[in-house]
Amino acid sequence: MSQMLNKEEMRGQEERMKWWTDAKFGMFIHWGLYAIPGKGEWHMYGAKIPVKEYERLADEFEPQAFDAKTWVAIAKRAGMKYIVITAKHHDGFAMYDSKTEPFNMVQATPYRRDPLQELAQVCREEDIKLCFYYSHVIDWHHPHSVHNAANNTWDYNMGEKHFPTYWNELVKPQIQELLTQYGDIGLIWFDTAGGLSYEDSIDMMNHVRRLQPNCLMNSRVSHYKGLGDYQSKGDNETPMYGEDTRLWETPMTLNETWGFSPRDQRWKTTDSLIRKLVNIVSKGGNLLLNVGPSPQGIIPEESVQRLEQIGDWLRRNADAIYGATASPFPYEMDWGAITMKENQLFLHIDNERWPKSALRINGILSKVKRAYWLADREQQPLSCQQSCADSQDEQHTGAGLQIRLPKAPFDQTVTVVVLEMEGRVEVDPQIMVLPSGVLTVDITTGEITENDWNDSNDSGNSSEQKPEANRSKLSPAVSRTAAWSIMIPEQGTFEVQITSFKRHDADFQEAFGEGVQLRLADQVLRSIPAEDSEISDSPACQHPYSEMISILGEIHIHTPGVYPMDLMSTLIKGRNPTFTEIWQADKVKLRSVRLVKKPD
């Protein structure tokens, strides 16, 4: 279903995307009539508010405190490079002067001003890319909007709806307004395309291209896989390594709601937000971080404080974020994350996981010319030792880099070490246990195949880890396997864990009702995972999910070497779904396998 591009089109696509791929960090703004009741942007749908009653909110909408310069200044101080604002959300209210539909900011409110026009002017002056969110399928105000799930059925009869009327007489004309009245627009951020046909999806993409050829579109322009210029992840979702084959972005809230909600005071900490930004960039993504202004047009102070603190960190560490690419290593570092540029590696050390005396990292094949703190203006050199290997085996087991560290971190939250190489960055792609004795590999970095569970039920030395009552569940007809080749440089006993994201309403063991099976070094562990521990303030997980660790058992490695490892589960996803995955639909998402070497 994806569009195939020729070489010339691919070059054009890269040029069109460059500003976005370099930007890394943007501001999302959810602002509309829903700010008045302060119960979130889905309030009209959740409370089944009749259209005529909801329209009366416009009589109260007069945001005299709105100031485009203030908003853009907040974004700039935060280090954000683009702004995506809701031009029309699911309630159908246009936040600009729309000639197509009178239910808009200028005609329906006493404010009589177009805030998007004011924002466009300031963004041009301040070199910030202005982008528009537009809900093109869900519209509870319009009698002919049709979605596959979230429709206004309390005012309108589904049998009387005629989607082409909505599409041709409202959606496409309003998109034309947005792309002809406000100058160059960085992207149109579409949302929730459930039920939209493939033909209408292509029609919308062509419509945007005709109006502004360089305007980007996110993947939510359609629910068909591969459309749009980049992949929008699920709300608040950070993907696994290798999960996406194209560029992607995580939309994330500062608290737990998107629109203004004074009752929601569950704010993420600044430290947590910086770690999430680093984690996302290290996997090759962008972070679109949301604010929900008040009915008066004020961005909440709790948001402003956190954004300014993020900006302080970014000013010291800009080179490691803007224009940086993903870590060249296909697995996680237990001390933090890595980003890179052509001849530089940036080691983002999480201050809460600060190594004792030295940071050790294996697999760097390039010769390190020098190392220093990125936040150190003097760029004083750090003491580091790099060993070289004469054979492939020695590369895997002996080659490495050691950087001496002080007892206390140099920077706040995340301290960045710059490694400058004599040439381009080159690393060993072999997955290997870290010098600390820990290895975490995401499911999507493995080779994934479908298989018959029963074919492998009797292979190897089985070690059952759970009660007898659970064993009968361990035989689904079909599951998938993720397989890796891993280097284990030291003998010893390793605790085998899996990590999963659990939705707040999930029954964990029910989701894993079929069990999992792991094979490593001719040993087999089978079990139904339990919630053995929870990772607090995970850099990759947030509401409405929690990161859980499940212990599968122990594996004994008697001889160092390269070993095949595979994990079998019905929760492993296939590689080629037809439609874009709705991440929040999964009550439990299996994420990774983790090996932890036990003390000798």
Side-chain angles (χ1 to χ4, degrees), residues 142-163:
H142 198 283
H144 295 295
S145 169
V146 181
H147 184 258
N148 66 352
N151 297 292
N152 181 343
T153 56
W154 55 97
D155 284 299
Y156 306 123
N157 185 331
M158 290 296 294
E160 297 175 357
K161 285 178 176 284
H162 183 247
F163 182 77

Side-chain angles (χ1 to χ4, degrees), residues 47-62:
K48 303 294 185 285
I49 300 173
V51 164
K52 294 301 181 184
E53 180 181 336
Y54 192 83
E55 285 178 339
R56 289 198 288 270
L57 290 174
D59 298 334
E60 307 173 41
F61 202 25
E62 194 170 9

Side-chain angles (χ1 to χ4, degrees), residues 107-166:
Q107 297 180 53
T109 77
Y111 191 59
R112 304 294 181 193
R113 283 163 51 187
D114 185 340
L116 301 194
Q117 195 65 257
E118 298 174 31
L119 200 59
Q121 180 178 340
V122 179
C123 283
R124 283 192 295 271
E125 294 169 356
E126 297 297 331
D127 197 26
I128 293 284
K129 285 280 188 182
L130 178 63
C131 313
F132 292 138
Y133 169 112
Y134 188 88
S135 177
H136 62 317
V137 178
I138 298 179
D139 188 325
W140 304 314
H141 183 264
H142 198 283
H144 295 295
S145 169
V146 181
H147 184 258
N148 66 352
N151 297 292
N152 181 343
T153 56
W154 55 97
D155 284 299
Y156 306 123
N157 185 331
M158 290 296 294
E160 297 175 357
K161 285 178 176 284
H162 183 247
F163 182 77
T165 299
Y166 165 71

Side-chain angles (χ1 to χ4, degrees), residues 372-389:
Y372 56 91
W373 307 121
L374 182 54
D376 180 8
R377 293 183 179 179
E378 303 297 323
Q379 296 187 359
Q380 292 295 318
L382 295 172
S383 174
C384 64
Q385 293 180 316
Q386 185 176 19
S387 61
C388 298

Side-chain angles (χ1 to χ4, degrees), residues 39 113 121 204 275 285 289 367 385 402 430 480 489 525 573 591:
K39 296 180 180 180
R113 283 163 51 187
Q121 180 178 340
M204 177 53 67
R275 292 187 188 103
L289 191 57
K367 184 171 176 55
Q385 293 180 316
Q402 181 170 286
Q430 172 67 58
R480 293 186 180 92
L525 303 176
K573 297 283 186 179
R591 296 278 297 192

